[in-house]
Amino acid sequence: GFTLNNPDNKLFYFVVEIPYGTRSKMECNTREDWNPIHQDNESGDLRYFSYGNLPFNYGFIPQTWEDPNDPSKYIDMDGCKGDNDPIDVVEL
């Protein structure tokens, strides 16, 4: 987990989708109950990060999925909607 510079000192946890030094692409499945984590696939083929092994942990913060059909109430821009993904995290 990590903390942000905030008055409440809240702790945030994240799920690693591509661990440091690897290429396998895991994904949170937003179409299944309980949003299980599984290796991502595209057209039936397992997905891998194609630009070499990652030099950091890459993942997402649970329960931050943004609905692409709902305008954001946190951004002051007309028509700004979610990107159908949770918030991304890069841990250096």
Side-chain angles (χ1 to χ4, degrees), residues 1-2 11-17 28 30 34-35 37 59-66 85-89:
F2 63 94
L11 179 66
F12 293 86
Y13 291 94
F14 73 101
V15 175
V16 176
E17 294 178 280
C28 173
T30 58
W34 303 99
N35 306 120
I37 307 297
F60 67 92
I61 299 175
Q63 300 179 345
T64 60
W65 177 76
E66 297 177 310
D85 265 332
I87 295 174
D88 296 317
V89 173

Side-chain angles (χ1 to χ4, degrees), residues 41 60 69 75:
N41 67 62
F60 67 92
N69 300 309
I75 299 174

Side-chain angles (χ1 to χ4, degrees), residues 62-83:
Q63 300 179 345
T64 60
W65 177 76
E66 297 177 310
D67 190 333
N69 300 309
D70 289 337
S72 174
K73 61 184 176 186
Y74 303 105
I75 299 174
D76 190 20
M77 291 173 55
D78 288 335
C80 185
K81 297 181 180 180
D83 66 353

Side-chain angles (χ1 to χ4, degrees), residues 12-60:
F12 293 86
Y13 291 94
F14 73 101
V15 175
V16 176
E17 294 178 280
I18 307 175
Y20 169 83
T22 67
R23 294 182 185 194
S24 297
K25 174 74 171 96
M26 304 302 284
E27 188 78 32
C28 173
N29 188 336
T30 58
R31 294 183 198 98
E32 291 185 35
D33 289 343
W34 303 99
N35 306 120
I37 307 297
H38 59 86
Q39 188 166 0
D40 197 10
N41 67 62
E42 196 168 281
S43 304
D45 295 326
L46 295 178
R47 284 183 61 194
Y48 295 89
F49 184 72
S50 58
Y51 302 102
N53 294 340
L54 282 183
F56 50 80
N57 285 321
Y58 171 81
F60 67 92

